[in-house]
């Protein structure tokens, strides 16, 4: 089989997976811009509801780039038929089926010392080149990796708002996850990650290891948001208040649930959310590797 035949076979392989003809996929990748929307939105502080600002008062913003049309369909099939079948460590909760911000927070219940940090510009910091290299490292062919990268990145980076972005970000971060897991296992530290939120906790003071943790993240090519980096006990972890003997929703959610329960609305999403949090207090704390 010559080079051209091999390349065509790889295109046909992906074509069969996503359910679109090779000619259409080639046409789509050559005209990819028309399959994306783009807008800028202000970042909001979850506690105050007000826009986040830099020190000079400038409002922080993020660029949202959701896919549309046939590309969104293709990306959804890539997610379901390729990405979701790649096994991730139990420590990873964002974008993983049957895991959530609740399952991310639960393992830290009962640990006196808690350390949380956040990855700055997580999605735009992941380049198309890095996505390609990740698929090659996962043993996909160079042709298949190049094509899947074209179908899941835009403007040379991983766009925020597509069906595949969180799954791909998890794969790109996998090496760093493994390095963090190995360190934490060595020193009895519990580690979980929910997309760009990293949480560490222990019964013992592990402050001497914080610099090593941050160096592992930075050496992986990721940036730390130091404003969101905290070392203390009983803090809010991915939207969940974590205590020694339970986890619970923040007070503002509990207040809204009270209002929701007295309303005539047939659907009560916040009530269901609160119930999902509190029912974990009746079962044994989840464990991670």
């Amino acid at each position: 089989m010559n080079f051209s035949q091999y390349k065509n076979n790889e295109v046909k392989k992906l074509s069969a997976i996503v359910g679109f003809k090779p000619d259409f996929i080639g046409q789509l990748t050559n005209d990819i811009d028309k399959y994306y929307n783009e807008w800028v939105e202000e970042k909001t502080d979850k506690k105050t509801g007000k826009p986040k600002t830099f020190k000079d008062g400038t409002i922080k913003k993020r660029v949202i780039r959701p896919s549309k049309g046939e590309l969104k369909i293709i990306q959804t099939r890539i997610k379901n038929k390729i990405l979701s079948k790649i096994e991730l460590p139990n420590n990873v909760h964002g974008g993983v089926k049957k895991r959530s911000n609740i399952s991310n927070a639960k393992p830290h219940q009962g640990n006196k010392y808690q350390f949380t940090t956040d990855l700055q510009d997580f999605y735009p910091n992941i380049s198309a080149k890095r996505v390609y290299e990740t698929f090659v490292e996962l043993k996909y062919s160079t042709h298949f990796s190049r094509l899947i990268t074209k179908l899941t990145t835009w403007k040379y980076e991983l766009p925020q708002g597509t069906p595949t972005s969180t799954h791909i970000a998890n794969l790109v971060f996998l090496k760093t996850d493994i390095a963090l897991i190995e360190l934490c296992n060595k020193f009895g530290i519990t580690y979980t990650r929910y997309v760009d939120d990293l949480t560490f906790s222990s019964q013992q003071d592990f402050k001497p290891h914080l610099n090593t943790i941050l160096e592992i993240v930075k050496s992986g090519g990721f940036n730390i948001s130091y404003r969101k980096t905290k070392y203390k006990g009983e803090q809010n972890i991915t939207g969940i208040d974590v205590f020694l003997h339970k986890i619970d929703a923040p007070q503002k959610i509990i207040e809204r649930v009270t209002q929701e329960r007295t309303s005539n609305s047939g659907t009560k999403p916040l009530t269901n959310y609160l119930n999902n949090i509190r029912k974990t207090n009746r079962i044994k704390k989840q464990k991670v590797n």
Side-chain angles (χ1 to χ4, degrees):
M1 183 184 298
N2 61 37
F3 177 83
S4 179
Q5 289 173 323
Y6 180 70
K7 183 177 179 180
N8 288 337
N9 281 348
E10 292 297 276
V11 174
K12 288 178 182 178
K13 184 196 299 183
L14 185 58
S15 173
I17 291 171
V18 300
F20 284 84
K21 293 181 178 179
D23 287 348
F24 178 78
I25 292 176
Q27 175 190 334
L28 184 148
T29 55
N30 288 330
D31 199 15
I32 200 83
D33 289 356
K34 78 175 189 179
Y35 291 95
Y36 281 97
N37 287 318
E38 182 177 44
W39 66 81
V40 178
E41 64 179 35
E42 296 178 352
K43 293 185 177 181
T44 305
D45 190 298
K46 294 177 183 177
K47 291 183 179 179
T48 65
K50 296 180 180 179
K52 295 179 182 178
T53 60
F54 293 100
K55 289 183 179 180
D56 64 359
T58 305
I59 294 175
K60 294 183 176 181
K61 298 177 181 181
R62 64 166 61 88
V63 180
I64 307 299
R65 291 169 171 158
S67 52
K68 60 183 179 179
E70 291 89 347
L71 178 60
K72 186 175 182 179
I73 295 171
I74 288 171
Q75 289 175 342
T76 300
R77 290 173 183 173
I78 288 173
K79 178 190 75 172
N80 293 335
K81 297 183 179 183
I82 298 176
L83 303 178
S84 63
K85 294 183 179 181
I86 301 172
E87 190 173 352
L88 294 170
N90 293 334
N91 310 67
V92 181
H93 294 260
V96 181
K97 194 173 182 180
K98 296 184 179 179
R99 300 181 202 172
S100 66
N101 65 313
I102 300 172
S103 68
N104 179 77
K106 188 67 178 177
H108 303 283
Q109 177 190 317
N111 286 343
K112 182 178 179 181
Y113 300 92
Q114 299 171 359
F115 175 58
T116 56
T117 190
D118 185 271
L119 302 173
Q120 192 171 40
D121 297 325
F122 186 37
Y123 293 101
N125 189 47
I126 298 174
S127 67
K129 180 176 181 290
R130 197 160 184 192
V131 172
Y132 166 76
E133 291 171 347
T134 297
F135 281 110
V136 171
E137 288 170 1
L138 289 168
K139 307 303 181 186
Y140 290 97
S141 74
T142 55
H143 299 302
F144 193 90
S145 298
R146 189 170 290 109
L147 183 55
I148 204 169
T149 299
K150 285 183 178 180
L151 291 168
T152 57
T153 61
W154 190 42
K155 295 187 175 181
Y156 307 104
E157 65 187 40
L158 193 63
Q160 185 164 351
T162 74
T164 47
S165 287
T166 299
H167 289 72
I168 291 174
N170 281 340
L171 295 176
V172 173
F173 200 80
L174 187 55
K175 278 186 178 179
T176 304
D177 276 326
I178 291 170
L180 290 171
I181 291 167
E182 289 175 351
L183 176 77
C184 291
N185 285 346
K186 183 177 180 181
F187 294 105
I189 302 168
T190 298
Y191 163 61
T192 64
R193 180 173 63 82
Y194 186 77
V195 191
D196 56 357
D197 290 308
L198 283 65
T199 306
F200 307 81
S201 67
S202 179
Q203 293 283 7
Q204 307 299 322
D205 185 358
F206 60 101
K207 195 170 185 179
H209 301 298
L210 299 189
N211 283 339
T212 305
I213 288 170
L214 294 177
E215 280 305 313
I216 288 173
V217 175
K218 289 189 287 185
S219 66
F222 299 94
N223 300 320
I224 296 290
S225 176
Y226 287 96
R227 187 182 65 84
K228 296 182 180 179
T229 299
K230 300 174 184 176
Y231 184 66
K232 63 179 183 178
E234 295 191 352
Q235 58 176 301
N236 185 280
I237 296 171
T238 53
I240 306 293
D241 286 342
V242 178
F243 306 101
L244 286 176
H245 303 293
K246 68 174 184 177
I247 65 172
D248 208 349
Q251 187 58 37
K252 64 179 182 179
I253 297 292
I254 296 172
E255 291 171 359
R256 290 174 64 187
V257 166
T258 302
Q259 297 172 359
E260 190 178 75
R261 284 173 174 167
T262 59
S263 72
N264 294 323
S265 173
T267 58
K268 293 182 167 51
L270 289 176
T271 301
N272 292 336
Y273 178 59
L274 181 61
N275 289 340
N276 286 335
I277 296 170
R278 289 181 170 174
K279 74 181 181 182
T280 69
N281 297 323
R282 301 192 294 270
I283 60 177
K284 201 170 183 179
K285 186 176 79 167
Q286 299 174 24
K287 292 183 179 181
V288 295
N289 293 335

